[in-house]
């Protein structure tokens, strides 16, 4: 393909990709500037509350597991009859 067709086509494709990047939804990352962006899903109050509930439940499970291991270790060291 001659360069006189290839390079303008490449420039057009690059311009289209830049324009698409300006308006494409940003997903879960940071908000896009200007009128194109919207609040990311993870920054909504509902999702924040759900993430906090999940983290609290996980921390409780971890604490229970650590306590169970500690109880087993103390029982192995000094068993009660």
């Amino acid at each position: 393909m001659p360069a006189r067709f290839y390079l303008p086509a490449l420039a057009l494709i690059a311009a289209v990709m830049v324009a698409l990047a300006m308006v494409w939804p940003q997903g879960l990352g940071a908000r896009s500037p200007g009128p194109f962006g919207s609040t990311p899903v993870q920054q909504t109050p509902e999702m924040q509350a759900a993430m906090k509930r999940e983290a609290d439940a996980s921390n409780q499970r971890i604490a229970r597991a650590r306590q169970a291991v500690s109880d087993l270790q103390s029982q192995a060291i000094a068993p009660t009859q």
Side-chain angles (χ1 to χ4, degrees), residues 3-29:
R4 68 178 179 174
F5 295 120
Y6 179 71
L7 294 178
L10 192 61
L12 179 65
I13 290 171
V16 168
M17 290 177 68
V18 168
L20 183 62
M22 291 174 62
V23 297
W24 192 260
Q26 297 300 306
L28 302 177

Side-chain angles (χ1 to χ4, degrees), residues 26-32 38-43:
Q26 297 300 306
L28 302 177
R31 185 170 190 262
S32 292
S38 60
T39 303
V41 174
Q42 289 182 337
Q43 293 179 4

Side-chain angles (χ1 to χ4, degrees), residues 8 31 36-37 40 43-44 48 50 52 62 65 68 71:
R31 185 170 190 262
F36 302 115
Q43 293 179 4
T44 60
Q48 290 285 326
K52 182 172 180 359
I62 291 169
D71 291 345

